[in-house]
Amino acid sequence: MDCLMIFNHLNDLIFTKHNAIFEEHIKNLALAQGLILKEQLEETLDSNVFIQLFSPIVSSHRIMHFQFGNSYTTIQFHTDFKLQFREFMDYVFIVISGEKVAYLIDMFVTFARYLCGPEIYQLRTNNCKSTLYTRLIDQWLLLRNRDQAVFVEGLEQLIINNDISATCLQSLKESIAKLSVHPECSKIHALLFVDNKCLSLYSSTPAKELAPADILFLIILTHCVSEESGHLESFQVLLSGSDVEPKCLPHAVHVVELFPQVFLVYLVEMGDPLVSATLFETFHHLHRLRFIQVQREMASIQMGYENVDLSIRKLNGYLKKCKVKNLESSQKQLIKKWDVLKGKYREYLKTLSNEALLRAESLAMNLLDSLKEIHNLTAVDDSILKCSAAHVLQAIPKVRQDLADFNEYFLVKGIKNFSLGSYLEEFPGLVHFLYIDRNTHKVTTPSLDMQAEKAEFIQKKIWSMVTFAHSHLQEGHTAIIWKDTIFTYGYFLWFEDSSGDSLKFTLTPDLGSKIPGILHEDYYMKLKTAMHPKLPAQKVRAYELFVMYLGLVTASSVLEQTRKLASTIWELKSLPTHVINLI
């Protein structure tokens, strides 16, 4: 990735991240166009240079988006470089990259949502958030290039003996019991990670179940903390939650590295989840309404207006029960502004008056300001962050003491969780596999020994296998076997009901440009809903299996052994086995 830029609705640059080569290129362009002087080449690049160079393309993108509903997604240069665009809450994200990956920009939007929610402008006004945002991007790029679970967006469980596992869980349970007596920590989770693997999790009774995507985000976040062992770092984040569509649920996160590569994370729920989820929904519907009203399509405007009206009424009901200081006046202002704006929409729908719609467009910006004010009052709370951090600091020493005898063991297991070992005799020609339960997104895969001969070559082949398979999944193929000059590969995605019976389907639906994964949004949940619309998504189970064999292994052998491998993995996990229909 060479450059990331984020522009607001006024085409002001609120965030940029770029490498040295790109900066030198931009300086030379700016010098040639008279935007800077020669003596300024050694100075830090001014943001106004980016604005002057890129404002025309941003304005063009907005015109195509709002007036024609056909915005740019990608502009291909004559070289391998691409310019990618995404709109999020009226902000334009632009990525310039030579990498052939469409999901980069989606992930950058996702990390911004985790840190800022709908108010992306904080990346300009809050130095701590912009610094953390940069670190998140850097660490994610590093992790996805070296860790299998992060690359496939899944969770790998550290495999340890039952006694040590029980000790870890008991230690977390005791710390949660002490912390949850404090009112601000009543809804709290404690998690242990070893490098990028899940070790243990314990939650207080009233806390909501954590979504796999949010746990994966926390794993990436642990790599952003200070390298100083024992130093507690605290953040406010907005988690996605477990619904199909991501929400913005405020949490305080406290991270400490207990031992090398062993991280203890406490996650404290903040605010009212109903207020937070409905507020984000209202932002979404209002931005959508502002977009469709430019098209002057009456039916779409009617539906968009009704969606905003419903979400604001829901939000108002939740806000009335919310006990937050200074909230009442902001709530009244919100309803007052919406009543005025609602009148303009009703006038337009009744008379098709362009003047009424133009007035509604300007009034909508005022309503957005009120929503942002309520967001800041309900989703941001420095007092809870500081207070919970003080309580967590008192709990850390006991957990560290409980686990001190195992720190070297954890370090070894983090590097080599389990090996292919005994699988080699039972599955001749097997080189590697990744099995992913796409209901919990738990990953089962042999560890990669990067000290072994040709380790980097094997890793590159595995990454290429996953990329190739997912590209074909996007085209509707759920079972494929292919070869190169060295290896034979297989990819299988299958569905079962809650009884373990195979679910048939005739056609894989088109999910557009959506990328298989869970961080940006749960691709597999959407796939289950689309492929089996008559069943609740929770009752449809999805499983994913990648296999890599020596090239001499035939396709029929791959298919036969893959069925057996899937059953063997189920046995290792103490789950009932049954005949698996892969094709």
Side-chain angles (χ1 to χ4, degrees):
M1 193 271 292
D2 293 85
C3 180
L4 163 65
M5 295 173 285
I6 306 175
F7 292 87
N8 68 3
H9 68 286
L10 299 175
N11 283 9
D12 284 338
L13 183 69
I14 68 160
F15 180 86
T16 181
K17 173 180 167 55
H18 52 269
N19 59 28
I21 295 174
F22 184 83
E23 180 169 342
E24 183 180 354
H25 176 69
I26 292 297
K27 284 181 176 179
N28 291 331
L29 276 178
L31 182 64
Q33 296 186 25
L35 301 178
I36 62 173
L37 302 174
K38 191 172 183 179
E39 51 267 28
Q40 292 177 286
L41 286 173
E42 301 302 318
E43 299 177 4
T44 302
L45 196 58
D46 190 275
S47 62
N48 287 324
V49 173
F50 285 93
I51 293 172
Q52 292 181 72
L53 288 175
F54 289 96
S55 274
I57 193 67
V58 174
S59 297
S60 176
H61 167 83
R62 289 192 184 279
I63 291 171
M64 293 295 293
H65 178 65
F66 280 102
Q67 294 190 10
F68 302 103
N70 187 24
S71 57
Y72 307 135
T73 55
T74 304
I75 295 177
Q76 175 76 57
F77 296 116
H78 66 279
T79 62
D80 287 336
F81 281 84
K82 291 181 180 179
L83 205 67
Q84 295 176 308
F85 299 82
R86 287 293 185 278
E87 285 261 356
F88 178 72
M89 298 294 176
D90 223 13
Y91 291 86
V92 177
F93 288 66
I94 298 178
V95 166
I96 300 175
S97 176
E99 297 182 59
K100 297 180 180 179
V101 284
Y103 56 82
L104 276 178
I105 197 164
D106 288 333
M107 293 309 304
F108 299 158
V109 171
T110 296
F111 291 138
R113 189 193 73 220
Y114 267 110
L115 295 186
C116 306
E119 182 53 314
I120 306 299
Y121 198 76
Q122 294 176 77
L123 293 176
R124 181 171 182 173
T125 60
N126 189 320
N127 186 58
C128 291
K129 283 192 183 292
S130 61
T131 300
L132 180 57
Y133 184 54
T134 299
R135 287 157 69 186
L136 272 169
I137 291 172
D138 289 338
Q139 290 304 315
W140 174 72
L141 289 171
L142 286 172
L143 288 171
R144 73 174 306 277
N145 285 329
R146 73 175 180 87
D147 186 86
Q148 299 179 86
V150 175
F151 185 67
V152 299
E153 296 193 15
L155 303 173
E156 186 175 358
Q157 182 71 41
L158 198 72
I159 301 173
I160 58 177
N161 71 52
N162 292 336
D163 290 339
I164 297 178
S165 178
T167 300
C168 294
L169 190 62
Q170 183 62 28
S171 181
L172 295 186
K173 181 179 179 180
E174 291 175 0
S175 71
I176 288 293
K178 292 179 181 178
L179 287 168
S180 59
V181 298
H182 303 285
E184 59 275 9
C185 295
S186 61
K187 300 176 182 178
I188 185 170
H189 310 267
L191 305 96
L192 282 168
F193 300 121
V194 176
D195 194 13
N196 311 312
K197 300 172 182 64
C198 302
L199 173 56
S200 193
L201 162 66
Y202 190 85
S203 307
S204 64
T205 302
K208 292 186 177 296
E209 183 179 356
L210 288 176
D214 292 332
I215 296 175
L216 181 56
F217 168 75
L218 293 174
I219 289 173
I220 300 168
L221 184 65
T222 61
H223 289 266
C224 299
V225 302
S226 169
E227 294 183 359
E228 180 185 348
S229 184
H231 177 69
L232 180 71
E233 289 202 37
S234 300
F235 314 95
Q236 288 195 49
V237 299
L238 296 112
L239 301 186
S240 296
S242 54
D243 291 344
V244 175
E245 297 297 332
K247 306 298 182 186
C248 281
L249 308 175
H251 287 73
V253 185
H254 308 288
V255 184
V256 63
E257 189 173 13
L258 291 178
F259 316 107
Q261 297 301 308
V262 180
F263 298 93
L264 172 63
V265 178
Y266 287 101
L267 191 64
V268 181
E269 293 182 19
M270 299 169 58
D272 187 324
L274 292 175
V275 169
S276 301
T278 310
L279 183 59
F280 186 69
E281 180 184 297
T282 306
F283 270 107
H284 171 76
H285 286 312
L286 184 57
H287 280 291
R288 179 65 184 165
L289 177 58
R290 291 182 60 237
F291 164 68
I292 59 179
Q293 70 189 27
V294 180
Q295 314 297 318
R296 298 296 196 271
E297 293 181 4
M298 187 173 177
S300 298
I301 293 174
Q302 172 84 40
M303 183 179 296
Y305 153 74
E306 290 174 356
N307 286 337
V308 175
D309 187 46
L310 177 61
S311 61
I312 285 184
R313 283 192 281 116
K314 283 168 57 182
L315 178 62
N316 188 43
Y318 294 138
L319 289 174
K320 288 179 179 179
K321 302 174 184 177
C322 191
K323 299 178 181 179
V324 174
K325 189 178 179 181
N326 301 324
L327 179 61
E328 186 177 353
S329 60
S330 298
Q331 177 189 355
K332 289 179 179 178
Q333 280 296 312
L334 173 71
I335 300 304
K336 183 178 178 181
K337 290 179 180 180
W338 174 238
D339 285 342
V340 175
L341 179 55
K342 186 164 55 174
K344 294 300 175 184
Y345 281 120
R346 285 176 172 171
E347 181 182 344
Y348 169 76
L349 293 170
K350 185 177 181 179
T351 66
L352 297 183
S353 165
N354 284 330
E355 182 181 345
L357 200 57
L358 288 172
R359 181 63 179 146
E361 289 175 8
S362 61
L363 289 171
M365 295 303 296
N366 291 331
L367 186 66
L368 273 174
D369 290 338
S370 287
L371 289 173
K372 291 174 183 177
E373 186 176 316
I374 290 173
H375 170 77
N376 291 331
L377 287 170
T378 58
V380 180
D381 195 331
D382 290 333
S383 63
I384 290 183
L385 185 71
K386 293 176 182 178
C387 189
S388 59
H391 298 317
V392 163
L393 278 171
Q394 296 177 2
I396 291 171
K398 180 61 167 62
V399 179
R400 181 182 284 115
Q401 179 185 336
D402 292 342
L403 306 182
D405 292 340
F406 312 120
N407 64 339
E408 292 184 3
Y409 172 75
F410 290 149
L411 191 60
V412 171
K413 290 293 292 183
I415 297 171
K416 193 170 185 178
N417 200 15
F418 83 94
S419 64
L420 208 54
S422 60
Y423 287 91
L424 294 177
E425 290 186 8
E426 195 171 352
F427 303 97
L430 180 62
V431 177
H432 195 73
F433 71 87
L434 291 102
Y435 171 86
I436 310 165
D437 180 336
R438 282 302 181 184
N439 312 290
T440 61
H441 302 285
K442 293 289 182 68
V443 177
T444 303
T445 184
S447 302
L448 295 176
D449 183 1
M450 297 310 296
Q451 305 303 315
E453 184 181 358
K454 297 184 178 180
E456 290 186 7
F457 172 75
I458 296 295
Q459 184 194 38
K460 185 178 179 180
K461 288 291 186 181
I462 294 169
W463 265 238
S464 176
M465 169 180 66
V466 172
T467 302
F468 181 86
H470 277 168
S471 69
H472 280 268
L473 175 61
Q474 290 174 282
E475 295 174 0
H477 306 293
T478 58
I480 54 173
I481 296 175
W482 72 102
K483 301 182 71 167
D484 60 18
T485 56
I486 303 174
F487 300 111
T488 298
Y489 309 89
Y491 170 71
F492 307 93
L493 174 70
W494 70 96
F495 300 88
E496 300 174 357
D497 61 20
S498 54
S499 301
D501 294 327
S502 177
L503 289 173
K504 301 289 186 179
F505 56 93
T506 55
L507 182 66
T508 304
D510 180 12
L511 294 182
S513 60
K514 297 184 186 301
I515 305 296
I518 61 172
L519 274 171
H520 181 61
E521 58 184 1
D522 194 334
Y523 176 91
Y524 299 91
M525 181 68 77
K526 289 181 178 292
L527 193 61
K528 288 191 288 186
T529 301
M531 295 180 73
H532 305 286
K534 295 182 179 180
L535 287 174
Q538 293 77 10
K539 292 189 176 182
V540 178
R541 297 175 178 175
Y543 303 93
E544 203 171 28
L545 183 57
F546 304 83
V547 292
M548 180 172 159
Y549 286 86
L550 294 175
L552 295 175
V553 179
T554 64
S556 59
S557 295
V558 168
L559 190 59
E560 180 184 348
Q561 288 197 34
T562 300
R563 286 194 181 99
K564 186 178 178 182
L565 177 61
S567 297
T568 301
I569 294 169
W570 277 56
E571 289 174 3
L572 288 173
K573 292 176 169 291
S574 300
L575 296 170
T577 59
H578 50 272
V579 176
I580 298 168
N581 187 5
L582 297 176
I583 56 175

